[in-house]
Amino acid sequence: MTAVEVLDGDHHLFGVHTTSMSYVFTVTAEGLLRHLHWGAPIALADVIIEPIWALSTNDLIHDVMPQEYPPHGRFRYNEQCLMVRFPDGGRELDLQYQGYDATDTELTVHLHDPKGVDVDLHYEVLAVDAIKRWAVITSDVPGLVLESVASAQFAIPFQDLTLRNVEGRWGAEFQQTVQQVRGKIVLESRHGISNHHHSPYAVLSREATETSGRVWAAALAFSGNTKTVVEQTQYGQTLLQLGVNDFDLELTLLEGETFTTPPVVALYSEQGLEDVSHRLHAFGRSLMSGGDRPVLYNSWEATNFDVTCDGQIALAESAAAIGAELFVVDDGWFGRRSPDATGGITDGLGDWWVDPVKFPDGLAPLITRVRELGMDFGIWVEPEMVNPDSDLFAEHPDWIYSEPGRTTDTARGQYVLNLTLPAVQEFVAKMLDELLTDNDIAYLKWDANRPMSQVGPGRDVWLRHIEALYAIVAQVKRRHPGVLIEACASGGGRIDFGALAVFDDFWTSDNTDALDRLEIHRAYSLVYPPKAMRAWVTDVPNFLSQRSIPLQFRFHSAMFGSLGVGCDLSTMSDDELAQCAKYVEEYKALRPLMDQFHRLENPSRNDYRLFQYSSQSGAVLFAFLPQSRLGHTSTTVRLRGLEPSARYRFTHDWQQREASGQYLMSRGIRLWMQGDYASTIIRFDRVGN
Ligand code: GLA
């Protein structure tokens, strides 16, 4: 049962079914859309429409009854999906059910307010065992102002839910939070980008572990200001709403004009968190370009802004020797980009010409050498920004966001370009097009190193900026198919399903400490696919943690993401370079097995961190022990995602062994590691069945 189902009887009953869930709602006598079920599969024919519980005259239907898309007005006191201002100043909405359209996989329900607003609610069944929801608002009056417009509301018939999301900041993105839902929780971004602090999703559960328990999850595909609201009602439910943030937002629709909200992907599982992750990863992968991500070398931590043609060629030669497939020149190659005496940088951004001092003959000698070495070439850009001392700013001081009569602040010495201006869009698109046309470039790292601020009078720019960004990236990809684009925003500031639909690779954090990264990647993997989780091995002591972690641990940690190397290879000994080459080779051999990602349980009192990939042809176990304590206690690793009846060959305790998938998943293997920063990888090859 994976389809849209409609029962037209006394009540209209709507069902949207995927393999593991049903989503059901109905139309009330008042013409409202009453939410009935988001959970395990049920047949519409069985649905009992229970009376609405109202004990007193204070329990009013609009407040008590969970609705699909509650607008502002009547007795509604919870968060509302839609708030408008009519030309007459009126603000109450009265959305009435009008009818529906249905195909096998998509249901559209039409709502109408006689004062001049149409709302279409869309429900699409996705192949990844999830649904997609979004809303389309049409104005039938001239100048309808949208003050708040969410993508969807969901209702869960329990009050005792646990909410998972992330918190953090630069250098500490994706720190998992697990909290009991009490009252109302708002997770939002006001930074103009999806930000370092939270991520636009909610994973709600009851007694869930990785492999058991009920989980409701929903994630918004948008990279700008977002708002996720989780709210307990007084009537035993929890409401969940996701959408663009209404903070400082106002969208004006002309007569006949529409606004389409970003979509939300939603799913339900009774198999715990891992099942939810796998289905969300499948959704993410369905948006992303295919193929393995290349092993890259990036020069940022090695050189910072101090790039030169000869220095980069020397790094490229070493990078090729250790097996890198892509060489990326980071910041510093353009304009007059160099830190001043105080270390500040106020120049370069906007002037996307090659620095003639650092590259006297342009980029060609470097790119030619990189290609001769058998690698692809990639380059760093920060297209949405401009520095005050640049030629671009001197020519177009009015191209930045600014408040009338005020001075605009810089952050990291730079301004944000007003990407909602057609001239700016044209400039950015042309600059990228020329860069990619004139040079043999296979990869762009697209950075954004400051949040938006002081955006001026236009209150729609929070949204329009991101729409323009998506359009420019899509245009670049259309004109230069095959080019991969990495999203970076001072580390992991721009990771969400909206970004996943246009970018190919994601820089999760500037924190490259191999131990910190284990937790960043664990939390990232709850919702986002590890396929595009870029991780570099960098030098020690780490610039941020000042920790010196052994090379093997650093490689193993980076290898469970998409491997990159950011070390200063010119300072490494031949022996270290040979070790790097060995790990890169090992990673390439493991890459085909790295399909489904598992966060394994550690039953030991010793702090093992256990992760696994599984695929049709085998599995890879990544085990880490940051610090050996308690007399080197062992752990037992029970694998997941194997074929129970198949046989797997692996090397363990220096012996080659063979076991069934059933055995490895039920009994598991004992793993005993010693020392500080111990790590190991065990490969399981499917040999029979
Ligand atoms: C940001 C990125 C880094 C690097 C620098 C360059 O901080 O996250 O990886 O590209 O910008 O300025």
Side-chain angles (χ1 to χ4, degrees):
M1 177 166 66
T2 62
V4 167
E5 193 189 3
V6 182
L7 283 190
D8 300 317
D10 290 347
H11 309 273
H12 282 295
L13 264 185
F14 298 102
V16 186
H17 308 285
T18 74
T19 310
S20 314
M21 78 178 220
S22 289
Y23 189 95
V24 180
F25 58 96
T26 188
V27 183
T28 68
E30 300 84 3
L32 302 173
L33 291 187
R34 176 181 175 190
H35 174 82
L36 292 176
H37 176 76
W38 179 24
I42 55 172
L44 283 199
D46 288 343
V47 170
I48 298 166
I49 301 192
E50 291 152 350
I52 291 161
W53 182 87
L55 195 59
S56 87
T57 50
N58 288 301
D59 301 325
L60 295 149
I61 177 177
H62 299 96
D63 202 24
V64 176
M65 184 182 77
Q67 291 150 68
E68 284 300 290
Y69 198 75
H72 176 69
R74 312 292 289 269
F75 299 104
R76 292 189 181 90
Y77 304 101
N78 293 117
E79 197 74 13
Q80 292 145 14
C81 282
L82 185 62
M83 291 181 75
V84 304
R85 211 166 57 237
F86 286 99
D88 67 3
R91 303 177 60 231
E92 179 167 83
L93 272 160
D94 183 18
L95 293 177
Q96 292 285 320
Y97 172 75
Q98 288 294 297
Y100 70 90
D101 289 306
T103 65
D104 283 353
T105 54
E106 190 174 330
L107 170 69
T108 308
V109 177
H110 309 293
L111 306 173
H112 176 69
D113 182 325
K115 240 181 121 168
V117 183
D118 286 294
V119 175
D120 283 350
L121 301 183
H122 292 260
Y123 301 78
E124 186 187 336
V125 179
L126 300 177
V128 297
D129 198 359
I131 62 168
K132 188 157 104 179
R133 283 190 61 182
W134 69 100
V136 179
I137 321 297
T138 306
S139 171
D140 305 333
V141 291
L144 180 80
V145 179
L146 308 188
E147 294 184 344
S148 173
V149 53
S151 296
Q153 174 172 287
F154 300 87
I156 302 165
F158 298 101
Q159 272 187 322
D160 55 346
L161 297 176
T162 301
L163 170 66
R164 281 178 171 75
N165 195 269
V166 286
E167 64 175 13
R169 56 180 163 74
W170 175 85
E173 300 89 330
F174 290 97
Q175 304 298 304
Q176 184 153 85
T177 54
V178 182
Q179 60 182 308
Q180 271 313 112
V181 177
R182 293 271 177 266
K184 183 169 178 175
I185 300 171
V186 180
L187 303 169
E188 61 174 356
S189 171
R190 297 181 174 205
H191 289 67
I193 54 174
S194 45
N195 94 19
H196 299 89
H197 303 331
H198 302 291
S199 202
Y201 68 77
V203 175
L204 291 157
S205 59
R206 297 189 79 218
E207 290 158 16
T209 68
E210 284 292 327
T211 51
S212 68
R214 305 180 68 174
V215 188
W216 296 260
L220 179 73
F222 186 62
S223 313
N225 282 356
T226 64
K227 185 169 163 192
T228 304
V229 181
V230 181
E231 186 175 12
Q232 283 182 324
T233 73
Q234 284 68 28
Y235 304 99
Q237 306 111 353
T238 302
L239 303 177
L240 166 63
Q241 216 178 80
L242 302 101
V244 294
N245 201 338
D246 52 5
F247 160 72
D248 196 31
L249 182 80
E250 228 175 55
L251 301 174
T252 303
L253 298 185
L254 306 176
E255 191 171 351
E257 221 181 344
T258 61
F259 172 67
T260 302
T261 69
V264 170
V265 58
L267 54 89
Y268 169 77
S269 175
E270 302 207 341
Q271 261 92 56
L273 299 166
E274 178 176 289
D275 181 45
V276 165
S277 296
H278 285 174
R279 285 153 62 190
L280 288 170
H281 294 173
F283 174 65
R285 286 199 303 243
S286 75
L287 304 173
M288 294 164 63
S289 56
D292 285 337
R293 297 299 178 255
V295 175
L296 68 73
Y297 177 82
N298 179 297
S299 61
W300 173 243
E301 284 204 24
T303 63
N304 267 255
F305 298 100
D306 197 11
V307 292
T308 60
C309 190
D310 291 347
Q312 294 291 310
I313 287 178
L315 283 171
E317 283 167 353
S318 304
I322 65 166
E325 297 160 316
L326 166 72
F327 181 83
V328 183
V329 176
D330 210 279
D331 198 350
W333 60 270
F334 52 88
R336 292 174 293 270
R337 184 83 164 151
S338 290
D340 60 24
T342 64
I345 4 157
T346 55
D347 214 331
L349 295 174
D351 294 345
W352 298 105
W353 33 267
V354 181
D355 182 334
V357 179
K358 294 173 180 170
F359 294 87
D361 299 310
L363 292 172
L366 172 61
I367 299 182
T368 306
R369 185 70 189 123
V370 166
R371 302 290 290 135
E372 273 168 16
L373 290 163
M375 294 182 292
D376 279 330
F377 180 76
I379 201 159
W380 181 96
V381 284
E382 197 176 355
E384 297 152 85
M385 306 288 164
V386 64
N387 281 126
D389 298 341
S390 62
D391 296 349
L392 183 72
F393 186 67
E395 236 175 278
H396 300 287
D398 53 339
W399 275 13
I400 62 165
Y401 290 115
S402 61
E403 290 286 341
R406 300 279 175 201
T407 308
T408 304
D409 292 321
T410 56
R412 210 192 194 219
Q414 64 200 52
Y415 299 124
V416 185
L417 286 173
N418 183 344
L419 212 57
T420 69
L421 299 175
V424 175
Q425 294 166 10
E426 210 176 294
F427 166 80
V428 172
K430 188 159 171 280
M431 175 280 279
L432 293 166
D433 188 36
E434 282 173 5
L435 185 65
L436 294 171
T437 305
D438 297 348
N439 301 286
D440 185 1
I441 293 175
Y443 190 93
L444 286 178
K445 176 174 169 185
W446 182 307
D447 213 334
N449 274 303
R450 59 155 288 176
M452 286 166 63
S453 69
Q454 298 145 301
V455 294
R459 293 175 63 181
D460 58 350
V461 295
W462 301 108
L463 186 94
R464 303 298 178 208
H465 183 103
I466 300 299
E467 287 176 349
L469 166 83
Y470 289 165
I472 293 170
V473 179
Q475 184 184 330
V476 168
K477 290 181 127 184
R478 260 197 317 277
R479 290 181 60 91
H480 302 278
V483 168
L484 294 179
I485 310 186
E486 173 180 353
C488 172
S490 276
R494 193 177 255 167
I495 296 170
D496 57 82
F497 282 116
L500 265 154
V502 290
F503 293 105
D504 306 280
D505 231 1
F506 293 87
W507 184 227
T508 52
S509 181
D510 281 344
N511 182 346
T512 51
D513 176 275
L515 180 58
D516 285 352
R517 272 301 183 97
L518 293 183
E519 293 321 305
I520 288 173
H521 290 170
R522 179 199 294 276
Y524 171 102
S525 76
L526 182 65
V527 168
Y528 302 116
K531 170 173 179 170
M533 188 171 74
R534 215 15 115 171
W536 306 343
V537 176
T538 54
D539 290 327
V540 289
N542 181 272
F543 82 97
L544 194 61
S545 67
Q546 291 302 311
R547 237 191 316 243
S548 290
I549 294 181
L551 191 64
Q552 169 159 305
F553 191 109
R554 279 181 277 149
F555 260 98
H556 287 171
S557 164
M559 277 159 78
F560 89 80
S562 315
L563 179 65
V565 177
C567 298
D568 184 353
L569 299 174
S570 68
T571 61
M572 283 183 143
S573 67
D574 288 349
D575 181 47
E576 281 172 320
L577 289 170
Q579 285 184 54
C580 290
K582 182 188 78 125
Y583 291 121
V584 171
E585 200 185 330
E586 191 184 352
Y587 171 75
K588 287 179 185 166
L590 294 173
R591 202 162 39 183
L593 300 179
M594 292 168 61
D595 185 13
Q596 296 281 36
F597 185 67
H598 309 267
R599 298 169 293 261
L600 300 183
E601 180 198 5
N602 169 36
S604 169
R605 290 178 66 190
N606 234 335
D607 183 23
Y608 290 91
R609 318 277 172 95
L610 305 169
F611 305 96
Q612 185 213 320
Y613 278 96
S614 62
S615 76
Q616 276 304 310
S617 47
V620 196
L621 169 68
F622 289 83
F624 302 90
L625 183 63
Q627 191 178 43
S628 184
R629 294 171 58 236
L630 307 168
H632 318 308
T633 316
S634 64
T635 191
T636 298
V637 185
R638 297 205 312 163
L639 300 186
R640 293 210 286 269
L642 306 184
E643 182 55 44
S645 59
R647 303 210 47 91
Y648 294 85
R649 187 169 297 154
F650 57 103
T651 303
H652 181 223
D653 290 343
W654 304 279
Q655 306 220 6
Q656 202 180 81
R657 301 185 195 276
E658 213 182 281
S660 68
Q662 176 69 38
Y663 178 86
L664 292 168
M665 292 192 292
S666 304
R667 166 62 176 78
I669 56 169
R670 297 273 280 184
L671 195 67
W672 182 69
M673 288 161 63
Q674 270 184 298
D676 289 349
Y677 299 117
S679 67
T680 190
I681 290 178
I682 302 179
R683 175 190 176 119
F684 298 79
D685 285 300
R686 186 167 168 173
V687 288
N689 238 326

